[in-house]
Amino acid sequence: MRRISLVLLGFGNVGQAVASLLEDYDGYRTEGARLELGAVFDRGGGIDPSGVSAAELLRAKRANGTVTSLSTAPRLSVEDALGASEDTVLVDTSITDAETGGPGLAPSKRALDMGRSTVFASKGPLVAAFDDLAERAKANGARIGASAAVGIPLPSLEVGLLGLRGAGLTRFRGVLNDTTNQILRDLEAGLSLDESIERARIEGTIEEDPRLDVDGWDAAYKLLLLARAIWDPALPLSTVDTKGVGEVGKSDIDEARSRRKRIRLLATAERDDSGAFRLKTEAESVGAEDPIYHLGPGEKAVVFETREMGVITIRSSKGGPRATAACALKDVLNVAVAPSPFYAS
Ligand SMILES: NC(=O)c1ccc[n+]([C@@H]2O[C@H](COP(=O)([O-])OP(=O)(O)OC[C@H]3O[C@@H](n4cnc5c(N)ncnc54)[C@H](OP(=O)(O)O)[C@@H]3O)[C@@H](O)[C@H]2O)c1
């Protein structure tokens, strides 16, 4: 059976879940190939984890803060790891830094230049250098997966890119970031913004810098990546009119409630007949006729509006690191293993 070697950049919540899933699903052999960890990197450096179980990796990471503390595993550079096998996919689960591109940017450029497909959970490289990465992939016969970076676990990219091809997609809108909507639910329940942020911090559901969620940036990044992938890879971040939930007060919540509405942070992308784009994130009131109104904790949704196929809504029930890792591994399978004949090219 064909072996696909994963170079895992980042061994935090998501990276660790990738290692666990690979073991739990026996390398996804039933999907037509065997996925294996070829290298694991954290801030301390990289190792070849061959013969090391996920549990041992996790133990070493928890005990000593870095996978490089495993004395039995040889140390590796990114260059060596990417070069070891042609059947290699880079999986970037490192931190998101949208300004610089973060730790995943240089390795992902290198991987794509070498013709290695690359899958992102981190949004950083795709926000900072989408066009450049897409060009490198095209030039070298590699592919890019981004499902884990655009609002997991919704298959928004697959729907937008494949499912609605030629259907005349004019607009998509949705909840791409559950944290802000949990904040709005908390405000509805009478908590203050600070109390809600503190609660999210304790639960580990808010970014280290809460402004990324509260001010709408996380949703804006995801919206931008979807619009770039589906419509125009060159769309700049400045296209997104980004507003968050920080300004929403009790009077807004009460006013919406009096009209039987709820306020939710919506991310919306539109393309008009002239080809002009309008992208925004904004707290908006929605009524019971809107699928967004009904989303509960942990749920996300995207509503796609098309000229020829009408309105198509996708809705998800589960988030978290394991679902994120599952999305990244789905991308690995989709970029590296020929799918069913129904989609053979
Ligand atoms: N958590 C989720 O549910 C979720 C959902 C969707 C998308 N994401 C995205 O997925 C990514 C990972 O999330 P997470 O929750 O796993 O974050 P995390 O727990 O903070 O893990 C980030 C990892 O990146 C590593 N890292 C940082 N700088 C590095 C460098 N220079 N070289 C190699 N590794 C480096 C860190 O190393 P150390 O361990 O040594 O610090 C850590 O292992 C983020 O970009 C996040 O935005 C997460």
Side-chain angles (χ1 to χ4, degrees), residues 179-254:
T179 306
T180 42
N181 289 294
Q182 184 55 48
I183 289 173
L184 291 167
R185 279 190 290 272
D186 285 349
L187 297 182
E188 280 166 5
L191 265 67
S192 70
L193 180 63
D194 287 345
E195 285 167 338
S196 176
I197 291 174
E198 189 48 31
R199 192 178 102 142
R201 212 178 248 139
I202 290 165
E203 288 170 0
T205 53
I206 198 158
E207 292 281 342
E208 209 170 288
D209 178 355
R211 285 171 305 179
L212 283 176
D213 284 313
V214 175
D215 293 347
W217 288 107
D218 181 72
Y221 295 154
K222 291 167 177 168
L223 181 75
L224 179 71
L225 298 184
L226 283 168
R228 282 178 174 173
I230 296 170
W231 281 327
D232 181 351
L235 279 172
L237 179 58
S238 57
T239 326
V240 191
D241 181 7
T242 306
K243 296 195 184 92
V245 297
E247 304 297 307
V248 178
K250 185 159 180 345
S251 57
D252 303 301
I253 302 269
D254 290 344

Side-chain angles (χ1 to χ4, degrees), residues 9-15 41-44 61 65 93-96 103 121-123 148 152 207 320-321 324:
L9 189 71
F11 200 62
N13 303 309
V14 177
F41 288 83
D42 61 20
R43 257 180 256 250
K61 179 74 182 162
T93 68
S94 67
I95 47 169
T96 285
S122 156
K123 293 166 277 291
I152 64 105
E207 292 281 342
T324 307

Side-chain angles (χ1 to χ4, degrees), residues 11 53-66 69-70:
F11 200 62
S53 69
E56 283 173 277
L57 277 173
L58 260 60
R59 258 199 305 277
K61 179 74 182 162
R62 280 175 196 154
N64 306 306
T66 172
S69 62
L70 265 171

Side-chain angles (χ1 to χ4, degrees), residues 106-121:
S108 57
K109 284 184 179 173
R110 185 68 193 121
L112 295 168
D113 286 345
M114 292 168 77
R116 312 288 190 247
S117 290
T118 298
V119 163
F120 294 96

